[in-house]
Amino acid sequence: MQQKEKFLGNAPYLTGCGGLDELYAVLRGESFTDIADQFGGIVSVTYSPAMIQTAIQDMVDYLDGKDVEQDHVIACEIVNKDNVKDYPSF
């Protein structure tokens, strides 16, 4: 058995992050369908733009001498073929 067949036989997931339109096009079924169909699934992870606001506020607070929480857990969302139309890409 060839390496490629062994690899694809494990039904791997192809993942990305950040809202890249080229990956969203694959999720929408607009490109690379011959390759995409060989994977167990394809997903992307995206973060709310509000995370930038949180980071800026933390920096302002730090520069003002305030105590700043050291660990922020920022929720991420999984984008797949079923919900990709709900997410803007760039």
Side-chain angles (χ1 to χ4, degrees):
M1 183 179 283
Q2 294 181 9
Q3 291 296 88
K4 181 179 174 182
E5 291 169 341
K6 285 182 184 179
F7 175 75
L8 292 172
N10 290 318
Y13 271 68
L14 178 65
T15 63
C17 64
L20 189 63
D21 191 55
E22 288 81 357
L23 182 57
Y24 281 15
V26 175
L27 290 170
R28 291 188 298 260
E30 298 170 0
S31 64
F32 295 104
T33 54
D34 57 326
I35 297 170
D37 291 343
Q38 296 179 54
F39 284 88
I42 300 175
V43 299
S44 183
V45 178
T46 190
Y47 298 91
S48 167
M51 75 176 200
I52 296 168
Q53 181 180 11
T54 300
I56 291 171
Q57 187 62 56
D58 281 351
M59 181 56 69
V60 169
D61 289 346
Y62 175 79
L63 293 173
D64 285 343
K66 297 177 183 175
D67 287 332
V68 177
E69 182 181 344
Q70 294 299 305
D71 295 314
H72 284 265
V73 176
I74 299 172
C76 62
E77 299 177 35
I78 302 296
V79 182
N80 58 37
K81 66 179 181 176
D82 298 324
N83 65 4
V84 67
K85 66 183 178 310
D86 299 328
Y87 293 88
S89 60
F90 64 91

